[in-house]
Amino acid sequence: MTIAHSPTTALQVQLKTAEAELQTSIWQEQEAIYHHCFERVLTGFIQHKVGEEHFLSVTGYGHDDLGREVTDAVFAHALQAEAALVRVQIVSGTHALAVGLHGCLNPGDTMLSITGRPYDTLEEVIGLRGKNRQSLAAKQVHYDEFSVFNQPKSPETAVGYSVRTQFTEAEAEKIKRANLVFIQRSRGYSLRPSLTIPELEALILQVKAIHPTVIVMVDNCYGEFTQYQEPTAVGADLIAGSLIKNPGGGIVPAGGYVAGRADLVASCADYLTCPGVGAEGGYTFNLTRILLQGLYLAPGIVKEALKGMTLAAKLFEQKGYDTAPHWQDSRSDIIQILTLRDPDKLVKFCQILQSLSPINSHITPIPANPPGYADEVVMAGGTFIDGSTLELSADGPLRSPFAVYLQGGLTYAHTRLAILKILESFDHSL
Ligand SMILES: *Cc1c(COP(=O)(O)O)cnc(C)c1O
């Protein structure tokens, strides 16, 4: 029997050439970061003597659950924090951030975001949208913001943004008056770049020079294990994130974390449960092994995602598309923007990606208007865990410049295949 090979297309040659170039450049850095982070994670397991006895949760109140305690300790080590609160009762990244903010802020305090308007879902938490009785605004917590990003001349593309290294006089005044300075590490769904750890370090240093006792909190969603260090290693007092993103390694079914200064983490635990219970109660539904195994896998899965995003950037750049970040850039999250400049291409991109998903490949995404959005949005995400964006997924609003936000990828092979098929289809429709 002879095995029929499909003829090698020009695109496959480009793919091989791109991989060869990545292999001798940026992938080496991503590989080195993986090894560094993996060793730190593993050291946490060893130092805290994780054993099989930790895998069974204590029912009811969940008092003296050694598994929950060791999970917090191992996560704290992995996240370079004094303490961590890792809970399946934290329902999402937004909830983790809300727990962090409520845990740190008292009535009369001021929260100051220095990376502009935070992630969409935090607007209701802060009280910028809606009239929720449980918002920070309803509890007399004030909010203020400015952005350390310089806007480019044409702010509708992701090109030309830079981070300012100096605060103005007025900004320094705001920092002096703030009780908590909030920094979003990842671009999320905005066009400005993600902040690298050295950039975060420089920013935090300046903030603390102006106001040494201010609490610096970092939204770490999408950022974990993409760089050598976590924000908590360079001065952040508290970080928060989602377990269906990076630190869950693709296998944790739900949850979130806050990590940082022990006194702040304890206060967050009191907010999540109640004073007197704090971190000492709460059933873990026998998920401790999964939480720990997800963390163990996370640096490797994040590397797979980074490799895939880098390949996407490289190939789309070669085809003349604007991308952010560029393929050779150091990454601080697992998101890739590809500017397609064509609504049909944006829809097609998502449809092909969906058709190559392990789950729901037979469903065809079409643009729709989600509540609260001004533009139609098209989304693809055939994921094992609902809403997990550590798994390969894409979405984009149907407005100029028709940029697709591509993210995640549990295996490089999957992203590679999807990119190849998408570019093949774009070539054919020329
Ligand atoms: C994902 C994300 C969040 C939280 O989103 P959830 O969907 O609630 O988990 C917050 N900030 C950023 C930057 C994010 O990427």
Side-chain angles (χ1 to χ4, degrees), residues 2-3 82 152 157 243-244 285 359 403:
T2 57
I3 298 166
E82 207 181 342
T157 71
L243 296 185
I244 63 167
F285 304 91
I359 313 300

Side-chain angles (χ1 to χ4, degrees), residues 96-120:
L97 289 157
V99 167
L101 291 168
H102 278 281
C104 292
L105 289 160
N106 292 314
D109 283 355
T110 297
M111 164 187 179
L112 172 68
S113 170
I114 65 167
T115 43
R117 191 52 64 96
Y119 199 72
D120 268 21

Side-chain angles (χ1 to χ4, degrees), residues 90-420:
I90 297 179
V91 305
S92 63
T94 304
H95 187 198
L97 289 157
V99 167
L101 291 168
H102 278 281
C104 292
L105 289 160
N106 292 314
D109 283 355
T110 297
M111 164 187 179
L112 172 68
S113 170
I114 65 167
T115 43
R117 191 52 64 96
Y119 199 72
D120 268 21
T121 55
L122 282 183
E123 290 186 352
E124 281 183 84
V125 173
I126 295 166
L128 295 167
R129 187 153 44 86
K131 291 223 179 312
N132 197 296
R133 287 176 55 189
Q134 303 302 330
S135 71
L136 289 165
K139 302 201 165 165
Q140 315 305 323
V141 173
H142 310 291
Y143 172 81
D144 202 354
E145 68 180 29
F146 66 82
S147 175
V148 292
F149 294 99
N150 286 319
Q151 284 250 341
K153 286 201 184 68
S154 53
E156 75 279 1
T157 71
V159 182
Y161 280 86
S162 59
V163 188
R164 273 187 299 125
T165 51
Q166 288 292 316
F167 295 124
T168 65
E169 205 60 38
E171 288 166 354
E173 278 309 309
K174 287 184 176 195
I175 291 169
K176 274 183 202 152
R177 283 197 301 271
N179 303 85
L180 181 143
V181 165
F182 185 84
I183 301 174
Q184 183 180 308
R185 173 179 180 179
S186 164
R187 66 170 9 110
Y189 296 103
S190 62
L191 292 166
R192 58 87 163 172
S194 305
L195 290 164
T196 63
I197 292 292
E199 285 167 343
L200 277 169
E201 182 170 25
L203 274 175
I204 296 171
L205 215 64
Q206 279 189 76
V207 167
K208 297 262 174 167
I210 294 167
H211 190 166
T213 58
V214 75
I215 296 168
V216 174
M217 177 174 169
V218 175
D219 173 352
N220 206 29
C221 285
Y222 277 140
E224 299 89 350
F225 310 126
T226 58
Q227 302 228 314
Y228 289 100
Q229 291 177 300
E230 296 300 324
T232 18
V234 297
D237 298 292
L238 196 75
I239 57 176
S242 164
L243 296 185
I244 63 167
K245 290 181 181 171
N246 306 17
I251 64 165
V252 174
Y257 75 86
V258 294
R261 257 169 52 189
D263 61 323
L264 298 177
V265 171
S267 181
C268 292
D270 286 347
Y271 174 78
L272 178 69
T273 60
C274 64
V277 176
E280 273 153 38
Y283 181 42
T284 309
F285 304 91
N286 290 329
L287 282 166
T288 310
R289 177 184 61 80
I290 303 287
L291 292 170
L292 289 167
Q293 201 169 352
L295 177 67
Y296 164 86
L297 292 170
I301 300 290
V302 167
K303 182 211 63 180
E304 290 290 295
L306 291 180
K307 279 183 70 175
M309 293 307 105
T310 311
L311 178 77
K314 174 93 179 136
L315 289 176
F316 274 80
E317 271 171 53
Q318 277 178 6
K319 296 264 178 203
Y321 295 93
D322 282 334
T323 65
H326 293 303
W327 68 269
Q328 66 274 54
D329 290 344
S330 284
R331 284 161 192 266
S332 196
D333 64 24
I334 55 166
I335 306 173
Q336 177 65 48
I337 301 186
L338 306 169
T339 307
L340 303 176
R341 298 199 182 279
D342 177 348
D344 295 338
K345 278 188 176 163
L346 174 55
V347 173
K348 202 163 192 186
F349 188 107
C350 290
Q351 289 180 343
I352 297 172
L353 193 85
Q354 184 76 36
S355 75
L356 293 168
S357 296
I359 313 300
N360 287 339
S361 60
H362 50 288
I363 285 172
T364 306
I366 50 166
N369 259 100
Y373 284 80
D375 302 282
E376 282 192 314
V377 177
V378 61
M379 302 182 176
T383 58
F384 288 91
I385 289 162
D386 185 43
S388 170
T389 40
L390 179 57
E391 298 182 48
L392 189 61
S393 47
D395 40 70
L398 271 95
R399 64 162 179 263
S400 183
F402 303 101
V404 68
Y405 290 76
L406 176 70
Q407 67 255 322
L410 298 184
T411 68
Y412 171 70
H414 188 185
T415 310
R416 181 187 195 269
L417 182 70
I419 294 301
L420 184 68

